[in-house]
Amino acid sequence: KRWLVDAGAEIVDISLPHTDHALATYYIIATAEAASNLARYDGVRYGARIEEQGDSFQDMIERTRGECFGSEVKRRIISGTYVLSASHFGDYYQKAQKVRRLIANDFTNAFEKVDVILTPTTSNPAFAIGEKSNPIDMYNNDLFTVPASLAGLPCMSVPVGFSHNKLPIGIQLIAKSYDEGNLFMFANVIEKSADFKS
């Protein structure tokens, strides 16, 4: 904050009340889109084909999708298929789209008062290699980055230093639509002030 104030910025407190729901909203929408978009990768029209002699058509599709998709992709396809199913579409996907609109409106209101929004990039420093394998822990680490994605806003993470155990820490800048110039200007001030060296 001090770096921006020293460069002439004024700090203004804002409220983004619906961002509490951003993480759940993002993963409902993202998994639904993943399931929908990846359905075409069946080894027939799109993607690699994995098959063995004597495979039926169903065997070929199962083998192709089973071997070509990693565990996270499979997890997202299963979750997305669930939220897009006829019995859950209204409860999950449609409600998530409504919350997405509320989150976007929060940002629109905030940008009436400020030029750029500054947030942490993550809720904790980077994980050490191999430290986290639980998908829920990994998803929770997206807490600060998904609201801008849901609202369709330009943002960037700028490295500012290291934690006590020498892992990188960054801060995130979010700008209004089509205002990347301001985003780069603020990021430049932070980069120069942090004098970050890897």
Side-chain angles (χ1 to χ4, degrees), residues 3 121 125-126 157-163 166-171 187-198:
W3 299 329
T121 302
S157 179
V158 182
V160 293
F162 293 95
S163 66
K166 306 286 189 245
L167 292 172
I169 296 174
I171 56 175
N188 185 45
V189 168
I190 292 171
E191 254 183 351
K192 286 181 177 174
S193 301
D195 196 24
F196 179 82
K197 299 285 190 283
S198 57

Side-chain angles (χ1 to χ4, degrees), residues 89-119:
F89 184 79
D91 292 334
Y92 292 101
Y93 189 74
Q94 284 183 326
K95 285 183 182 172
Q97 290 290 12
K98 290 175 183 176
V99 175
R100 180 185 206 172
R101 171 52 43 209
L102 295 173
I103 290 168
N105 290 345
D106 287 346
F107 278 106
T108 299
N109 294 336
F111 283 122
E112 291 175 2
K113 301 174 189 168
V114 298
D115 297 313
V116 172
I117 297 171
L118 177 71
T119 73

Side-chain angles (χ1 to χ4, degrees), residues 5 7 9 23 25 34 46-48 57 67 75 91-92 98 104 114 121 135 145 150 153 160 180 190-191:
V5 170
L23 200 59
T25 300
Y46 295 97
F57 180 71
E67 293 183 27
R75 194 170 11 259
D91 292 334
Y92 292 101
K98 290 175 183 176
V114 298
T121 302
T145 56
L150 286 170
L153 298 173
V160 293
E180 286 84 352
I190 292 171
E191 254 183 351

Side-chain angles (χ1 to χ4, degrees), residues 55-74:
D55 273 356
S56 69
F57 180 71
Q58 185 67 31
D59 291 337
M60 182 274 296
I61 290 178
E62 287 176 9
R63 194 180 307 279
T64 296
R65 293 172 70 81
E67 293 183 27
C68 291
F69 292 155
S71 58
E72 179 60 26
V73 173
K74 291 176 188 174

